[in-house]
């Protein structure tokens, strides 16, 4: 499956519809099995971009395409069978069990006023197993950790069997260990199940981990898209985030490590 955005742009200003949010129109193509990381400072328009891509907001210019078919030619039910959206995790108000929370992702397959079937609940269990938290199925969602809840939200999305996975800062507010679990889970799912994946992140180094494509944005700056190695340069990161950085590449036992490090983290030289 191919996800494309052609000449996309957006405006919040009703009186000035041509006062676009992005300095240049957005164009990219994402194939099955590829991950595109979306990077930029706060207020750059990353979440707005995701909402436009999946039709929660209407592009003021341009269009999203799936396999060369424009979004306007799909009905809503068709779209939500293709796209799975994982929003930023927040505190849960109701203490649903994790299994019930994930089963809600089957709503598009359940008739109005009908109850989830055993097949729906079994699909939810399989999704929980895919993300490694089946053992939490009976736990209230209000009693699990932030990382476990984020994995449950990913499972809730997977249970609808999407072809395109869209995540909005899934690793935010998590410690390093939980971030690792989320990143590994997402990468494994995308590669093994052939999903096309868009992921918003504040962490530049996570783009190196996913290793496919990146979209870099900032206020009053042109949108940059391309391969990670081409876009994630010291010059671009410094310009878009307004902070001097050093790009580090290290090889150890056949494994390559790449990282962007702010220069203010440097320690004093040995005397």
């Amino acid at each position: 499956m191919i996800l494309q955005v052609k000449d996309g742009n957006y405006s919040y200003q009703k009186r000035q519809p041509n006062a676009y949010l992005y300095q240049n129109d957005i164009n990219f193509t994402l194939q099955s099995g590829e991950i595109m990381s979306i990077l930029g400072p706060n207020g750059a328009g990353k979440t707005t971009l995701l909402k436009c891509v999946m039709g929660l907001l209407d592009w003021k210019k341009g269009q999203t395409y799936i396999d060369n078919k424009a979004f306007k030619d799909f009905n809503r039910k068709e779209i939500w069978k293709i796209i799975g959206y994982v929003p930023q995790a927040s505190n849960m108000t109701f203490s649903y069990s994790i299994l019930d929370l994930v089963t809600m992702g089957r709503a598009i397959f359940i008739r109005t006023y009908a109850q989830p079937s055993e097949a729906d609940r079994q699909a939810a269990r399989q999704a929980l197993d895919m993300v490694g938290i089946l053992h939490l199925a009976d736990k209230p969602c209000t009693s699990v950790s932030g990382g476990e809840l984020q994995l449950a939200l990913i499972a809730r999305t997977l249970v609808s069997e999407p072809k395109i996975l869209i995540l909005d800062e899934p690793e935010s507010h998590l410690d390093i260990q939980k971030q690792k679990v989320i990143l590994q889970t997402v990468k494994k799912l995308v590669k093994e199940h052939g999903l096309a994946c868009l992921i918003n992140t504040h962490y530049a180094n996570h783009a190196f981990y996913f290793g496919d494509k990146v979209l870099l944005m900032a206020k009053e700056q042109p949108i940059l898209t391309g391969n990670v190695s081409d876009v994630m340069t010291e010059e671009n990161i410094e310009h878009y985030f307004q902070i001097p950085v050093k790009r580090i590449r290290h090889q150890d036992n056949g494994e390559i490590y790449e990282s962007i490090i702010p220069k203010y983290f440097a320690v004093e030289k040995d005397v």
Side-chain angles (χ1 to χ4, degrees):
M1 179 158 289
I2 301 174
L3 172 68
Q4 292 176 295
V5 171
K6 296 182 180 179
D7 301 323
N9 218 318
Y10 187 75
S11 174
Y12 283 110
Q13 302 183 44
K14 293 182 179 179
R15 295 183 180 180
Q16 294 178 284
N18 294 327
Y20 292 117
L21 178 62
Y22 305 112
Q23 190 180 81
N24 59 312
D25 296 341
I26 297 171
N27 289 274
F28 66 80
T29 300
L30 197 61
Q31 308 262 4
S32 296
E34 289 185 332
I35 300 173
M36 174 176 276
S37 303
I38 301 175
L39 290 170
N42 289 333
K46 299 187 299 297
T47 297
T48 297
L49 170 60
L50 290 189
K51 290 180 177 179
C52 288
V53 167
M54 58 187 163
L56 294 179
L57 292 174
D58 293 328
W59 291 110
K60 303 303 181 185
K61 182 181 180 184
Q63 184 60 266
T64 300
Y65 296 83
I66 297 176
D67 284 345
N68 295 317
K69 182 178 178 180
F71 254 41
K72 62 182 177 63
D73 297 327
F74 290 88
N75 64 49
R76 284 291 168 184
K77 191 169 185 179
E78 287 177 320
I79 289 174
W80 293 114
K81 282 185 177 181
I82 296 171
I83 293 179
Y85 174 49
V86 183
Q88 297 180 35
S90 58
N91 294 329
M92 302 297 293
T93 302
F94 300 103
S95 55
Y96 302 110
S97 72
I98 292 294
L99 181 61
D100 286 341
L101 178 68
V102 175
T103 303
M104 292 175 190
R106 296 286 297 175
I108 59 173
F109 299 105
I110 301 172
R111 297 190 311 275
T112 305
Y113 304 121
Q115 294 293 319
S117 67
E118 181 53 35
D120 293 319
R121 297 181 74 80
Q122 183 57 30
R125 293 186 188 95
Q126 291 174 351
L128 285 169
D129 192 36
M130 287 170 64
V131 300
I133 57 169
L134 180 58
H135 61 287
L136 299 177
D138 296 324
K139 286 273 191 181
C141 61
T142 52
S143 69
V144 299
S145 70
E148 290 165 342
L149 179 58
Q150 190 68 69
L151 287 169
L153 293 175
I154 293 173
R156 185 180 66 176
T157 299
L158 293 175
V159 81
S160 64
E161 302 173 8
K163 302 299 182 184
I164 298 167
L165 185 60
I166 297 179
L167 305 102
D168 194 1
E169 299 182 14
E171 73 281 62
S172 291
H173 312 300
L174 301 179
D175 61 40
I176 294 175
Q177 195 276 338
K178 294 297 190 300
Q179 288 183 25
K180 180 203 74 166
V181 172
I182 296 295
L183 296 177
Q184 288 179 335
T185 300
V186 170
K187 188 171 183 177
K188 179 181 178 182
L189 291 170
V190 169
K191 301 305 179 182
E192 291 186 357
H193 296 272
L195 307 178
C197 178
L198 277 176
I199 179 168
N200 266 355
T201 179
H202 280 301
Y203 302 95
N205 291 327
H206 293 174
F208 288 117
Y209 173 73
F210 289 128
D212 294 326
K213 296 179 177 180
V214 65
L215 185 152
L216 186 60
M217 62 167 61
K219 286 184 178 179
E220 300 180 354
Q221 298 297 332
I223 301 289
L224 298 181
T225 59
N227 295 328
V228 171
S229 59
D230 296 329
V231 175
M232 297 290 288
T233 64
E234 292 178 1
E235 181 181 6
N236 284 341
I237 297 299
E238 289 182 7
H239 186 64
Y240 279 69
F241 285 88
Q242 298 297 300
I243 185 171
V245 297
K246 185 70 177 177
R247 178 172 168 175
I248 305 295
R249 181 181 173 90
H250 175 71
Q251 187 166 344
D252 182 40
N253 293 326
E255 294 184 319
I256 296 175
Y257 301 85
E258 285 195 278
S259 181
I260 290 286
I261 302 174
K263 288 185 177 179
Y264 65 79
F265 283 159
V267 298
E268 295 182 0
K269 295 180 180 178
D270 292 334
V271 178

